[in-house]
Amino acid sequence: MAKAGTVFVFFNCDGNKSEGSMNIFYNHAVYKDTKTSRKALLKKIKEEAIEKRIQISQENFQTIENLIMEGDPTEASQYIQFGAIKALECF
């Protein structure tokens, strides 16, 4: 049997990060737990901030970058308003 791997999904959502506001049909890109995919996830977060679909305080950008690139990307969600990163097991 294949080993499970973790993938990350970025979701636009409401201010409360309610599960019902996270639409897999709108946010359907998944990012593997690799350096290249983590860079792509970070790029997506930056694009969403530039387009003002999410809000990030300037002082939190470095923390978010560190969590996405070196730590647990889901922890970056606490610094993002109107967005969340979820981890899913993929077989």
Side-chain angles (χ1 to χ4, degrees):
M1 182 174 202
K3 183 181 159 195
T6 301
V7 295
F8 303 102
V9 181
F10 168 77
F11 289 100
N12 296 89
C13 59
D14 63 21
N16 295 323
K17 299 185 191 307
S18 65
E19 297 283 325
S21 70
M22 298 179 193
N23 185 343
I24 194 70
F25 297 106
Y26 181 75
N27 299 108
H28 54 270
V30 296
Y31 303 90
K32 295 179 184 177
D33 192 7
T34 65
K35 226 18 150 185
T36 301
S37 283
R38 284 176 178 242
K39 283 182 184 178
L41 174 58
L42 182 60
K43 182 180 177 202
K44 172 68 172 170
I45 298 296
K46 288 179 178 179
E47 288 170 356
E48 291 293 306
I50 289 167
E51 294 298 321
K52 301 197 183 312
R53 290 187 285 263
I54 62 173
Q55 295 176 359
I56 300 172
S57 296
Q58 187 64 39
E59 64 268 13
N60 291 329
F61 268 106
Q62 189 62 51
T63 300
I64 290 169
E65 184 171 341
N66 291 342
L67 286 167
I68 290 173
M69 295 305 302
E70 305 294 334
D72 179 357
T74 63
E75 292 294 316
S77 295
Q78 65 186 310
Y79 302 102
I80 302 170
Q81 189 174 15
F82 305 113
I85 300 169
K86 296 289 186 176
L88 304 171
E89 292 301 311
C90 185
F91 295 93

